[in-house]
Amino acid sequence: MSDLFNNPLFRIGLCGGFLAMCVGPMLTALLFYFWYSANFKKANAWKEFAHQHGFRYASPNPLLGEYGSMTGQFEGRAISISSKARSRTLTTTIVKVKVKDIGSFFLSTGEKGILGNIYRTTGGSNMTVETSFDERLSTNSSAPELAKKILFTDKGLLVEIKALIPLELLVKDDVVSVCVRGNYADGARLLRLIRLAFHFSAVLEQNLEDRPVQ
């Protein structure tokens, strides 16, 4: 046994094991600190964005990788912005905008996955829009013809949606919501998301006002 303790290889292994026990937790703590600091910095950018645009800001749970939420008025519309960790690998940014009364109408379009739709909606009919759109997005609505009219009223709107490929764009219960993959930390990306929600809201309301009276 004494020969084992005097063996240089045993001493090297023992020292290596001791160092691993000490360094491992320290390295883990260091990595966590940098991860937490990065999330805190991005969450603080949300807070600054909220103050810049006069929104109320609610702090997040940084351990979940979220940035908090904002609510308020933007160009005359009620709006809310939030980030959400849906799983260990999927975080999302969501913008919701209040629109005029749309009754029971709903329209949902969103990213397709390997196994089909990322999300599921019920109560409507699946519909086709155009080839390049349908290849990447699936669409469902309670009134397919009206939904198609809304999507094609403004050519720029369809281009914006295809460029963004939202996880889900949903019109339901007098709210337009746009949900995208990832936490949008900088103001330019947040404004782009807000502009899409507002553009869609304006086109939606225009087409609903033009509907013939039943």
Side-chain angles (χ1 to χ4, degrees):
M1 184 63 71
S2 60
D3 291 339
L4 176 63
F5 291 142
N6 292 324
N7 189 315
L9 293 177
F10 174 79
R11 292 181 178 180
I12 292 172
L14 187 64
C15 290
F18 178 75
L19 285 173
M21 291 177 62
C22 294
V23 173
M26 292 177 62
L27 183 60
T28 300
L30 191 62
L31 290 173
F32 177 79
Y33 170 77
F34 283 118
W35 174 85
Y36 183 89
S37 297
N39 273 337
F40 181 82
K41 184 177 180 180
K42 292 175 180 177
N44 196 53
W46 269 48
K47 186 176 181 179
E48 293 176 358
F49 184 88
H51 289 166
Q52 180 183 354
H53 294 281
F55 298 147
R56 294 181 297 277
Y57 176 75
S59 300
N61 180 347
L63 297 180
L64 297 178
E66 299 175 353
Y67 300 157
S69 62
M70 302 175 246
T71 56
Q73 292 282 325
F74 189 85
E75 297 183 359
R77 290 186 186 271
I79 186 173
S80 68
I81 308 167
S82 60
S83 66
K84 184 175 179 60
R86 299 198 171 198
S87 68
R88 293 179 62 184
T89 58
L90 177 60
T91 56
T92 58
T93 303
I94 307 162
V95 170
K96 294 184 178 181
V97 177
K98 185 71 174 175
V99 294
K100 296 178 182 177
D101 179 22
I102 61 173
S104 59
F105 173 77
F106 84 83
L107 166 61
S108 177
T109 187
E111 177 187 348
K112 283 185 176 178
I114 296 175
L115 301 178
N117 296 355
I118 296 295
Y119 66 93
R120 298 193 180 280
T121 55
T122 59
S125 302
N126 292 330
M127 52 179 282
T128 59
V129 180
E130 63 173 27
T131 302
S132 61
F133 193 93
D134 299 333
E135 286 174 350
R136 301 191 63 185
L137 296 145
S138 56
T139 308
N140 185 284
S141 178
S142 58
E145 291 305 316
L146 176 58
K148 189 171 291 189
K149 182 183 177 184
I150 290 169
L151 291 171
F152 279 98
T153 291
D154 187 322
K155 293 181 180 179
L157 176 60
L158 207 60
V159 170
E160 284 184 47
I161 297 172
K162 286 193 290 185
L164 195 63
I165 305 295
L167 190 64
E168 182 181 64
L169 191 161
L170 177 65
V171 182
K172 189 175 184 180
D173 298 330
D174 302 340
V175 171
V176 167
S177 65
V178 184
C179 173
V180 292
R181 289 178 176 274
N183 281 339
Y184 280 21
D186 66 279
R189 297 186 77 190
L190 285 171
L191 283 174
R192 181 188 177 195
L193 198 54
I194 291 171
R195 289 302 173 194
L196 173 58
F198 270 59
H199 190 176
F200 194 95
S201 298
V203 173
L204 168 73
E205 290 175 343
Q206 175 190 334
N207 279 275
L208 291 177
E209 287 175 357
D210 293 340
R211 283 185 300 179
V213 178
Q214 300 294 326

